[in-house]
């Protein structure tokens, strides 16, 4: 048998291994002392499942859950064990994994009797039994016809809807102790790798909790996000109104062109919520300052313009203020741990001047507002003056809007805070959720290319830094909002697909973000394409694909 040489860089040694050896065997023989779960391998920079066989020599790395793809694999494997445990206890149950919440995954279990906390404890015990048995998870290639028979037997209509639109003749399924399922993404070698998890009762369902990449051996302290849970529930109701609960049903609507009605209703739901928020502001007597905050690619600009129109309907005269104009001169900007300018720090803003001018405006005084020259990196004064009329209301949009430090001199009764994000509720099927961050990432890729000249590779490389800034400056304050607005549109990925794929295809195998691009391409291919001509000009989606009446490119 041919011998291949592997360089185990982290172990600082070389080994000889027979070609065709299962990668899990290499991990077992060489990484016994590792404390963290090892879920994948990297050979010459390419990720491989541990069920794969060794085909080439070169560099070999064990991938644990500190790695982004490693953590995704760990969580996905945990989901499979949960599904297996539930169906062993309640064979008739339907399990839905819905969205991230409180550092975990929220889901529901629909069975003959209502789910209760005692059931959740039984499921948790069963999960531990499956993990302790260290059962292998096998990847199998089946004909589409055979997969349809399996999911017909399981009565999984969601899987059947998805498979109907899959064009390949074979599909990859995973098998755990006789149970088959489809999962979008890689899976661990066996159940025994799942060292850390928790399952708790929450509302009508459960939260499946897992460690974080930053602290991979600890389940984080549970923090409840009531407002976020409420807006996810609202979005679920919107999905029920639209009759679209998964990608298969969405694709059906595209095929029969009922998608036109879906677009109209989805956009109407947005407008109704924006009008409702404007009414809330009107009812809160004394509100003079509206603060809008949310993560990247949430559609803050379009939302702010549409809210301004609804505020006009309520008799207000909205006056926009750009936080960008209150940056301090670049040379004084704080730096991050890498020594680079931290433009997302709240201290990159002139808080003293901003509060001073807000106070003056609320007193009815006229102020000269600055303009920040981004090319020169300095503040300029161009004689632009504003005054707040008696029926006026200030609208401020920016990432720090929910942080009380931004407007510390303004009384709380004069402020109304809005959190906006694209919180998708649409999933591929009951067991494969679409992450909120994926939708925002695809929005950002399309907008960066169309309006800023950035390629997808550049956007994906920036994304981890963007996410760190969001964790630090936005997500920690989201429950401070008076109201949350979900900017996702159930049909948007059908429109974004064409433009995103064009850019993602340009990323070659040598790129550090190649596997992220591969994952996104695979995910987008589940969606039917839809021409952007059907998107209304005032839609939040137009901020990303162009043609918006509000957003200037």
């Amino acid at each position: 048998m041919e011998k291949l040489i592997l360089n185990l860089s982290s172990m600082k040694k070389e080994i000889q291994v027979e070609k065709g050896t299962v990668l899990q065997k290499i991990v077992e023989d060489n990484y016994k002392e590792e404390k963290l779960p090892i879920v994948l391998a990297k050979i010459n920079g390419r990720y491989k499942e541990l069920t794969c066989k060794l085909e080439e020599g070169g560099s070999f790395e064990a991938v644990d859950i500190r790695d982004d793809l490693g953590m995704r694999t760990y969580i996905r494997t945990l989901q499979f064990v949960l599904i297996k445990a539930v169906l062993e206890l309640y064979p008739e149950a339907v399990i839905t994994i819905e969205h991230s919440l409180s550092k975990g995954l929220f889901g529901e279990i629909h069975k003959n009797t209502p789910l209760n906390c005692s059931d959740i404890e039984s499921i948790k015990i069963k999960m531990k039994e499956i993990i302790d048995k260290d059962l292998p998870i096998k990847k199998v290639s089946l004909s589409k016809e055979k997969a349809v028979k399996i999911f017909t037997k399981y009565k999984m209509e969601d899987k059947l809807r998805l498979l109907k639109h899959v064009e390949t003749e074979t599909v990859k399924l995973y098998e755990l102790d006789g149970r088959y399922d489809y999962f979008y993404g890689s899976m661990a070698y066996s159940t025994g790798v799942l060292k850390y998890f928790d399952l708790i009762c929450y509302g009508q369902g459960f939260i499946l909790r897992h460690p974080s990449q930053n602290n991979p051996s600890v389940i984080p302290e549970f923090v409840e996000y009531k407002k976020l849970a409420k807006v996810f529930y609202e979005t679920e109701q919107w999905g029920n109104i639209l009759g679209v609960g998964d990608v298969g049903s969405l694709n059906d609507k595209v095929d029969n062109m009922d998608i036109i009605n879906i677009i109209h209703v989805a956009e109407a739901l947005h407008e109704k919520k924006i009008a409702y928020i404007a009414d809330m502001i009107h009812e809160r007597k004394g509100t003079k300052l509206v603060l809008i905050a949310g993560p990247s690619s949430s559609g803050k600009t379009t939302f702010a313009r549409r809210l301004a129109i609804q505020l006009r309907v309520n008799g207000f005269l909205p006056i926009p203020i750009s936080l960008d104009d209150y940056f301090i001169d670049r040379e004084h900007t704080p730096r991050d741990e890498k020594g680079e300018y931290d433009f997302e720090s709240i201290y990159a803003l002139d808080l003293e001047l901003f509060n001073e001018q807000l106070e003056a405006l609320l007193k009815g005084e006229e102020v000269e507002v600055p303009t920040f020259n981004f090319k020169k990196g300095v503040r300029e004064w161009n004689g632009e003056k504003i005054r707040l009329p008696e029926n006026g209301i200030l609208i401020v949009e920016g990432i720090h809007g929910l942080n009380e430090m931004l407007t510390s001199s303004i009384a709380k009764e004069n402020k109304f805070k809005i959190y906006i994000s694209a919180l998708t509720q649409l999933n591929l099927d009951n067991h494969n959720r679409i992450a909120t961050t994926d939708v925002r990432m695809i929005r950002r890729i399309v907008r960066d290319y169309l309006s800023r000249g950035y390629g997808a590779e550049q956007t994906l490389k920036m994304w981890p830094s963007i996410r760190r800034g969001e964790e630090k400056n936005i997500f920690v304050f989201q429950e401070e909002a008076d109201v949350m607005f979900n900017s996702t549109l159930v049909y948007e990925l059908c429109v974004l697909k064409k433009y995103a794929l064009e850019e993602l295809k340009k990323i070659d195998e040598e790129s550090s973000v190649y596997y992220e691009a591969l994952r996104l391409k695979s995910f987008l291919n589940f969606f039917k394409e839809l021409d952007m001509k059907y998107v209304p000009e005032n839609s939040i989606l137009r901020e990303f694909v162009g043609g918006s009446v509000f957003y200037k490119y």
Side-chain angles (χ1 to χ4, degrees):
M1 183 69 77
E2 182 184 351
K3 296 277 189 179
L4 298 174
I5 296 174
L6 291 179
N7 176 19
L8 278 55
S9 55
S10 65
M11 311 294 287
K12 295 181 180 178
K13 68 176 183 178
E14 280 189 352
I15 59 171
Q16 281 193 342
V17 184
E18 286 187 356
K19 186 176 181 179
T21 300
V22 176
L23 301 185
Q24 173 68 9
K25 181 74 166 58
I26 301 172
V27 170
E28 287 174 356
D29 290 346
N30 295 278
Y31 295 88
K32 291 177 183 176
E33 304 304 315
E34 293 295 321
K35 303 296 183 189
L36 294 177
I38 294 173
V39 290
L40 298 170
K42 251 186 182 180
I43 300 175
N44 298 322
R46 295 189 292 274
Y47 287 92
K48 300 284 184 182
E49 288 183 299
L50 296 180
T51 51
C52 293
K53 293 180 179 180
L54 185 67
E55 297 295 334
E56 61 180 335
S59 67
F60 184 96
E61 298 174 55
V63 177
D64 63 35
I65 58 176
R66 290 172 296 184
D67 179 276
D68 184 55
L69 198 58
M71 180 56 81
R72 289 175 189 267
T73 301
Y74 185 89
I75 295 169
R76 195 176 295 113
T77 308
L78 199 54
Q79 289 175 228
F80 198 5
V81 170
L82 167 72
I83 292 161
K84 173 70 172 168
V86 171
L87 293 173
E88 281 196 11
L89 292 170
Y90 313 105
E92 82 290 352
V94 174
I95 307 110
T96 57
I97 310 288
E98 297 178 17
H99 52 257
S100 61
L101 187 68
S102 299
K103 304 295 182 185
L105 293 178
F106 173 79
E108 295 182 78
I109 298 168
H110 309 277
K111 57 189 186 69
N112 292 339
T113 56
L115 186 74
N116 58 48
C117 291
S118 177
D119 295 333
I120 295 296
E121 188 58 33
S122 297
I123 295 165
K124 183 177 174 180
I125 291 168
K126 178 60 72 173
M127 287 179 71
K128 286 180 177 177
E129 288 177 11
I130 294 169
I131 291 167
D132 289 343
K133 287 179 182 177
D134 195 18
L135 297 170
I137 299 172
K138 300 168 187 172
K139 189 174 189 177
V140 293
S141 182
L142 298 175
S143 67
K144 183 177 170 181
E145 183 183 4
K146 180 70 184 295
V148 166
K149 286 181 179 177
I150 289 170
F151 293 124
T152 300
K153 181 182 176 183
Y154 289 170
K155 298 181 181 178
M156 290 185 168
E157 295 295 329
D158 56 310
K159 304 276 187 192
L160 295 173
R161 280 192 295 270
L162 193 65
L163 283 173
K164 184 170 72 173
H165 298 283
V166 171
E167 296 178 357
T168 57
E169 289 305 311
T170 58
V171 293
K172 306 285 188 185
L173 300 185
Y174 288 97
E175 184 260 324
L176 170 57
D177 194 28
R179 183 81 199 180
Y180 291 89
D181 210 332
Y182 171 77
F183 287 96
Y184 153 62
S186 51
M187 191 70 66
Y189 181 83
S190 66
T191 62
V193 76
L194 301 171
K195 298 178 182 178
Y196 315 108
F197 86 98
D198 194 11
L199 187 72
I200 64 171
C201 194
Y202 187 84
Q204 300 292 313
F206 61 85
I207 296 180
L208 180 61
R209 311 199 66 235
H210 52 80
S212 67
Q213 285 173 250
N214 296 332
N215 201 354
S217 60
V218 176
I219 301 298
E221 181 185 354
F222 177 73
V223 178
E224 189 172 19
Y225 294 99
K226 288 184 178 179
K227 291 178 182 176
L228 191 61
K230 183 179 177 183
V231 79
F232 269 124
Y233 177 75
E234 175 188 67
T235 307
E236 185 181 353
Q237 301 308 110
W238 287 5
N240 292 339
I241 291 168
L242 295 166
V244 178
D246 52 53
V247 173
S249 57
L250 176 64
N251 286 337
D252 286 344
K253 303 288 186 186
V254 176
D255 275 350
N256 62 27
M257 288 310 291
D258 192 33
I259 194 67
I260 307 301
N261 291 325
I262 296 297
I263 291 170
H264 292 157
V265 178
E267 295 289 349
L269 286 166
H270 265 193
E271 194 61 32
K272 186 173 183 178
K273 182 65 183 282
I274 293 168
Y276 168 73
I277 293 171
D279 290 343
M280 287 179 68
I281 294 167
H282 183 259
E283 290 167 8
R284 283 258 303 262
K285 304 301 180 185
T287 301
K288 286 293 183 180
L289 176 62
V290 175
L291 296 147
I292 302 168
S296 174
S297 305
S298 293
K300 294 184 290 293
T301 301
T302 301
F303 171 80
R305 303 296 186 274
R306 287 174 65 173
L307 179 64
I309 291 170
Q310 291 293 343
L311 289 171
R312 288 290 298 270
V313 171
N314 277 326
F316 288 110
L317 185 60
I319 307 291
I321 292 183
S322 174
L323 273 181
D324 286 354
D325 289 327
Y326 289 87
F327 275 121
I328 58 178
D329 289 351
R330 192 163 297 154
E331 62 180 311
H332 302 303
T333 301
R335 295 179 183 267
D336 61 19
E337 60 277 5
K338 295 180 180 178
E340 297 173 355
Y341 288 126
D342 187 0
F343 296 112
E344 294 191 337
S345 167
I346 195 167
Y347 298 108
L349 300 171
D350 190 335
L351 298 175
E352 185 177 350
L353 175 66
F354 184 62
N355 277 270
E356 183 183 295
Q357 293 206 329
L358 284 181
E359 286 186 84
L361 286 166
L362 294 182
K363 289 175 184 175
E365 299 172 11
E366 183 179 75
V367 302
E368 181 183 357
V369 293
T371 299
F372 193 81
N373 186 322
F374 283 92
K375 288 184 179 178
K376 295 180 180 178
V378 296
R379 178 190 300 154
E380 295 176 342
W381 300 91
N382 300 321
E384 184 184 349
K385 296 180 180 181
I386 60 172
R387 185 193 298 272
L388 191 66
E390 188 176 336
N391 66 334
I393 190 165
L394 297 169
I395 297 183
V396 177
E397 168 213 327
I399 66 170
H400 299 291
L402 304 183
N403 187 342
E404 198 59 29
M405 280 182 65
L406 179 71
T407 54
S408 57
S409 67
I410 309 302
K412 287 192 175 182
E413 58 266 25
N414 295 140
K415 295 182 283 195
F416 190 93
K417 296 179 179 180
I418 302 169
Y419 176 76
I420 172 174
S421 188
L423 304 165
T424 183
Q425 186 71 18
L426 179 76
N427 287 332
L428 292 179
D429 58 36
N430 286 345
H431 301 163
N432 289 273
R433 73 187 192 91
I434 297 172
T436 288
T437 188
D438 284 351
V439 177
R440 293 194 294 109
M441 200 187 309
I442 290 164
R443 282 181 172 188
R444 178 74 179 250
I445 286 168
V446 174
R447 185 174 64 188
D448 279 357
Y449 168 66
L450 292 177
S451 69
R452 300 173 185 178
Y454 297 158
E457 184 173 24
Q458 195 172 352
T459 302
L460 290 179
K461 284 180 176 178
M462 290 190 299
W463 196 254
S465 174
I466 292 167
R467 288 283 294 166
R468 284 193 297 272
E470 291 168 350
E471 290 283 352
K472 184 178 177 182
N473 300 307
I474 300 174
F475 299 145
V476 291
F477 299 110
Q478 61 191 17
E479 288 290 309
E480 301 295 317
D482 292 291
V483 69
M484 291 186 177
F485 178 80
N486 188 353
S487 70
T488 195
L489 287 155
V490 73
Y491 69 90
E492 67 178 274
L493 288 169
C494 295
V495 177
L496 292 165
K497 173 184 176 178
K498 172 185 172 182
Y499 306 101
L501 282 180
E502 283 177 6
E503 287 308 298
L504 289 166
K505 286 173 183 175
K506 296 175 184 177
I507 300 174
D508 62 40
E509 199 170 345
E510 303 305 312
S511 172
S512 61
V513 292
Y514 172 73
Y515 283 95
E516 187 68 345
L518 199 64
R519 186 182 69 82
L520 292 173
K521 283 190 292 184
S522 172
F523 152 63
L524 284 167
N525 279 323
F526 284 105
F527 291 83
K528 293 276 187 178
E529 279 189 25
L530 183 65
D531 197 298
M532 67 179 285
K533 69 182 180 182
Y534 298 112
V535 182
E537 292 180 338
N538 70 337
S539 172
I540 279 173
L541 186 53
R542 284 285 181 181
E543 186 170 322
F544 305 96
V545 299
S548 172
V549 293
F550 300 119
Y551 190 87
K552 303 302 177 187
Y553 284 91

